[in-house]
Amino acid sequence: MTTRQRLAWLHPGAQDEPFPPLEQALTEPNGLLAAGGDLALPRLLEAYRQGIFPWFEAGQPILWWSPDPRAVLFIERLNIGRSLRKSLRKRRYRVSFDSAFNQVVKACAAPRRGASGTWITYGMYVAYTQLFEQGHAHSVEVWEDDHLVGGLYGVAVGRLFCGESMFTRASDASKIALVTLACHLAHWGFPLIDSQTSTPHMLHLGAELIPRALYRELLDDLCQLPGLPGPWRVDPDLDVIEWKPGATSSPT
């Protein structure tokens, strides 16, 4: 039986159509679960609640993934190295939340060295902008003077943050975005960031691979907790520079 024959296909507009069980995801390519459907908000939110995310390029159908193992960053294990800590203390940048979501997504979608295209298609841009407008998606912006030099965006479901993409145009800018976000998430009672797939960048910062079944258990628990709808704002009372991951913090 070929991969094409085994892959589940979803129908556009049929938002009540369930995703197949995660156990049916392919092993090659790792985690490919279904194709088709649409990027309507109800379907996107249901996907994230089940540990599924869309990832495809222009000219492809919408592809839905749930890899095994799953890359996650437990915030208490975030690795803030000496050089990054030094960069934070320089206070070179200003960080904001949810102030330039569209700009961040467009910057993440821009061509990168060694890459032939982008998975952030126009349809993805529109869908995640709608998620942002409904308070489900969030961005972190890093500014040098009035110039956007780094940032990231993702989706919050319950007390889980699912990171989608990040970019940098200046030294350590994306890392500072992540540290600032992690500090606030810890304070708000979010224990982990879903990195979806592993990258050397995230592994260096402390991300690790866990079995998909364990990720789903964590997800089920975190999705039962009350969410924190947007817009998010940087808390001036949180000292990101001196924050140490794993320190006790009271959730909001």
Side-chain angles (χ1 to χ4, degrees), residues 164-233:
E164 285 297 313
S165 187
M166 60 174 57
F167 80 98
T168 188
R169 296 170 180 163
S171 177
D172 287 336
S174 64
K175 294 179 182 178
I176 288 174
L178 181 65
V179 171
T180 305
L181 173 66
C183 176
H184 283 73
L185 290 177
H187 180 68
W188 295 334
F190 288 65
L192 65 85
I193 296 172
D194 173 24
S195 300
Q196 299 178 345
T197 59
S198 65
T199 65
H201 180 69
M202 289 302 298
L203 292 174
H204 176 74
L205 289 167
E208 56 193 274
L209 296 173
I210 65 172
R212 180 171 58 210
L214 175 57
Y215 174 75
R216 182 60 190 268
E217 290 179 11
L218 294 169
L219 179 63
D220 288 344
D221 290 339
L222 294 174
C223 283
Q224 299 302 315
L225 299 175
L228 190 66
W232 289 356
R233 293 291 180 258

Side-chain angles (χ1 to χ4, degrees), residues 10 14-25 31 33-34 41-54 64-67 70 155-158 160 162 194 196 211-224:
L10 304 175
Q15 296 176 16
D16 294 334
E17 182 180 22
F19 287 99
L22 301 188
E23 294 74 19
Q24 292 185 14
L33 179 66
L41 266 62
R43 187 186 291 276
L44 273 174
L45 290 173
E46 183 59 27
Y48 281 103
R49 293 188 189 104
Q50 294 188 36
I52 303 165
F53 58 89
W64 302 92
W65 302 79
S66 184
R70 186 80 168 217
V155 177
V157 286
L160 170 73
C162 304
D194 173 24
Q196 299 178 345
R212 180 171 58 210
L214 175 57
Y215 174 75
R216 182 60 190 268
E217 290 179 11
L218 294 169
L219 179 63
D220 288 344
D221 290 339
L222 294 174
C223 283
Q224 299 302 315

Side-chain angles (χ1 to χ4, degrees), residues 134-145:
Q134 294 297 317
H136 302 293
H138 304 278
S139 60
V140 183
E141 303 90 20
V142 180
W143 307 88
E144 186 170 25
D145 298 324

